[in-house]
Amino acid sequence: MPNILVVEDSPTMRQLIGFAIKRIPESRIIEATDGVDALKKLASEKIDVILADINMPVMDGLKLVSLVRENPSYKNIPIIMITTEGAEEDRKKALAIGANAYLTKPIQTQELMKLVTSFFP
Amino acid sequence: MEKEFNLSKKADEFLQMFKKGEEFTKNLLKENERLRFRIAQLEEELEKAGNEDRKMLYEEKIRVLEKEIGSLLERYKQVEEENKDFASKYLEVESENNNLANLYVASYQLHSTLDFNEVLRIVLEIVINLIGAEKFAIYLMDEKSNELLPAAAEGISLSEIPKTKIGEGVIGKVAKEAESYFIEDFGERGSSPADPAHPIVCIPLKIKEHVIGVISIYSLFIQKASFSNIDYELFNLLAGHAATAIFSSRLYTQSERKLTTIQSFLDLLKEKPKK
């Protein structure tokens, strides 16, 4: 059963992403509202894939990615960034920090599902 | 002498008989050869006749097989066409599913609270995340002054957005006529700086035909090149659902405030010292 951590401050986006993820058989969604909340969830749950927004209060998505990559327990978890930042330099920056994929909003649920399942073993 | 003559006669007779026997044997051999030849001929004819039958049988089989191949090819083409139809229908259903999920989430979120500021925040979220607008503002109608006042904005400061009179400019006209406005040449405006007086999209927020405000979009995110069908569906949804959500939450907030005031007043009356 893959556990997917959705890190997003917008309840609208969390619900929309949840709709897409629910269609992946046996998947389980764990929600976090910012980077700090995500780190707490990472410590208490076994996470298979992280979906994270970039612009969030308290701790943004880029900081979260760098902290996850520094931690030996989580460093191999695939991270997909979901953001409104569509510029090429933003994409490069996120991938350079350690994100595995970069999706821009508005998202297509089918595209998101494909991307998430591509990281399952 | 006579004995010799008899012997000679008998020898002649024997010779004659032997010659006849030889001739008969020769005839028999000839007849045998002829018959053998005839048998060979008949066998050949028979074989030929057998080959013809087999050939006809094979030809018939080939015809049947060719017919079967033809019908199989036809069926294969039909199945291929059906597959293509299914694939395109699947994509349509997926896209429809995506659209419905967007509309459901937008509608669900809009009606999930009665807090006025929370509703405004949800409208902002929908326009940012589901439509892909970078700079936009929500105007609300001030019934007393008959003006549209900016209530919330994203990507642009509220102080930069001027209030607008009903019927004036694009925004005022949308509020007056209750009809959405979409810029004709979208491509040209995509990269130009946002101008609060000249939106690329303006959606009236209306309850039936009563306009309570407008959503005015000035620019979209870099990755959003144009609007898709779902965007227009979302605009329609926002026009109705955002209007009712904003209107009812504003009424609720006002009534809550009034109720608190009345309650405080009643509490004061109760606490009035007895003489």
Side-chain angles (χ1 to χ4, degrees):
Chain A
M1 185 196 277
N3 286 341
I4 298 152
L5 178 62
V6 179
V7 193
E8 171 66 75
D9 60 320
S10 155
T12 310
M13 275 312 288
R14 283 204 302 274
Q15 192 181 15
L16 189 65
I17 293 169
F19 260 104
I21 303 299
K22 267 181 210 163
R23 294 175 60 202
I24 300 170
E26 296 181 353
S27 61
R28 184 170 155 250
I29 304 155
I30 295 140
E31 293 185 0
T33 52
D34 56 61
V36 173
D37 193 17
L39 290 172
K40 283 182 198 164
K41 298 282 161 65
L42 276 163
S44 61
E45 304 264 5
K46 186 200 164 290
I47 302 294
D48 297 291
V49 179
I50 300 172
L51 306 180
D53 186 12
I54 289 185
N55 299 319
M56 289 183 292
V58 190
M59 184 195 285
D60 69 25
L62 295 178
K63 179 74 182 162
L64 172 70
V65 174
S66 58
L67 288 175
V68 168
R69 290 294 173 248
E70 281 169 15
N71 190 315
S73 307
Y74 322 134
K75 67 176 182 184
N76 294 324
I77 300 175
I79 305 175
I80 301 168
M81 306 308 292
I82 302 177
T83 175
T84 53
E85 311 296 333
E88 191 51 33
E89 55 265 35
D90 294 316
R91 174 187 294 268
K92 281 181 182 165
K93 193 178 170 187
L95 296 176
I97 287 172
N100 297 76
Y102 196 89
L103 263 187
T104 52
K105 293 176 190 173
I107 56 160
Q108 292 293 314
T109 50
Q110 183 69 6
E111 191 186 1
L112 176 67
M113 275 171 65
K114 262 190 191 171
L115 193 57
V116 171
T117 47
S118 73
F119 288 108
F120 291 165
Chain B
M1 192 70 179
E2 195 181 342
K3 204 175 178 181
E4 275 179 11
F5 177 77
N6 282 342
L7 266 170
S8 164
K9 201 182 171 183
K10 274 185 181 175
D12 279 346
E13 276 174 10
F14 180 75
L15 202 63
Q16 288 258 321
M17 230 169 73
F18 185 78
K19 274 184 182 170
K20 272 184 187 172
E22 187 192 3
E23 204 173 317
F24 182 69
T25 308
K26 273 180 186 170
N27 282 341
L28 272 177
L29 283 170
K30 235 181 211 175
E31 187 60 21
N32 182 279
E33 198 178 334
R34 193 186 65 80
L35 285 170
R36 274 173 189 273
F37 180 72
R38 182 70 190 136
I39 285 167
Q41 258 186 337
L42 284 170
E43 273 178 351
E44 201 175 318
E45 275 173 22
L46 202 68
E47 197 174 331
K48 267 186 189 170
N51 281 347
E52 278 297 311
D53 284 349
R54 247 177 276 161
K55 196 178 158 192
M56 275 170 70
L57 194 73
Y58 288 149
E59 276 174 356
E60 186 57 33
K61 272 187 183 172
I62 288 167
R63 267 196 295 275
V64 171
L65 287 172
E66 271 174 351
K67 212 175 170 185
E68 270 177 28
I69 288 170
S71 81
L72 282 172
L73 278 173
E74 193 62 32
R75 184 79 193 114
Y76 175 75
K77 275 181 194 165
Q78 277 178 358
V79 171
E80 215 175 28
E81 283 301 311
E82 278 171 15
N83 270 350
K84 274 184 197 166
D85 276 358
F86 283 136
S88 84
K89 270 180 193 159
Y90 178 76
L91 286 178
E92 267 177 46
V93 168
E94 273 302 323
S95 156
E96 204 60 33
N97 191 36
N98 187 52
N99 295 352
L100 286 172
N102 276 277
L103 293 172
Y104 173 80
V105 169
S107 167
Y108 182 93
Q109 292 292 332
L110 279 171
H111 299 292
S112 64
T113 178
L114 279 170
D115 183 294
F116 175 67
N117 291 322
E118 181 81 357
V119 171
L120 282 183
R121 188 190 57 75
I122 289 167
V123 176
L124 292 180
E125 267 189 20
I126 290 167
V127 181
I128 296 168
N129 294 309
L130 304 190
I131 290 173
E134 186 187 30
K135 292 175 183 173
F136 62 95
I138 302 168
Y139 290 82
L140 292 178
M141 182 82 83
D142 179 20
E143 303 284 352
K144 286 175 195 161
S145 63
N146 214 25
E147 281 178 330
L148 287 162
L149 307 177
E154 180 67 30
I156 186 165
S157 165
L158 264 183
S159 58
E160 286 177 50
I161 306 165
K163 53 187 178 184
T164 306
K165 284 212 175 296
I166 304 298
E168 272 182 13
V170 173
I171 296 166
K173 214 173 165 187
V174 166
K176 190 181 178 187
E177 293 171 4
E179 289 291 335
S180 299
Y181 165 84
F182 299 94
I183 194 168
E184 280 173 26
D185 195 353
F186 187 80
E188 264 184 35
R189 279 297 306 277
S191 56
S192 61
D195 174 4
H198 297 95
I200 55 170
V201 175
C202 197
I203 310 292
L205 299 172
K206 52 186 182 181
I207 299 166
K208 291 209 170 166
E209 290 311 307
H210 176 64
V211 176
I212 66 141
V214 297
I215 296 174
S216 188
I217 299 174
Y218 305 115
S219 71
L220 301 178
F221 287 121
I222 193 169
Q223 66 271 21
K224 182 87 179 182
S226 60
F227 289 126
S228 57
N229 288 341
I230 181 60
D231 295 321
Y232 295 107
E233 296 282 345
L234 279 165
F235 287 140
N236 282 338
L237 180 130
L238 282 171
H241 287 246
T244 49
I246 289 171
F247 187 77
S248 52
S249 65
R250 192 154 61 171
L251 273 183
Y252 182 79
T253 308
Q254 281 170 356
S255 60
E256 277 281 284
R257 207 179 298 145
K258 277 180 188 168
L259 188 71
T260 313
T261 312
I262 292 166
Q263 192 62 52
S264 306
F265 184 68
L266 285 172
D267 288 345
L268 268 175
L269 283 176
K270 276 181 195 169
E271 283 170 16
K272 207 173 176 183
K274 288 174 187 172
K275 284 182 182 175

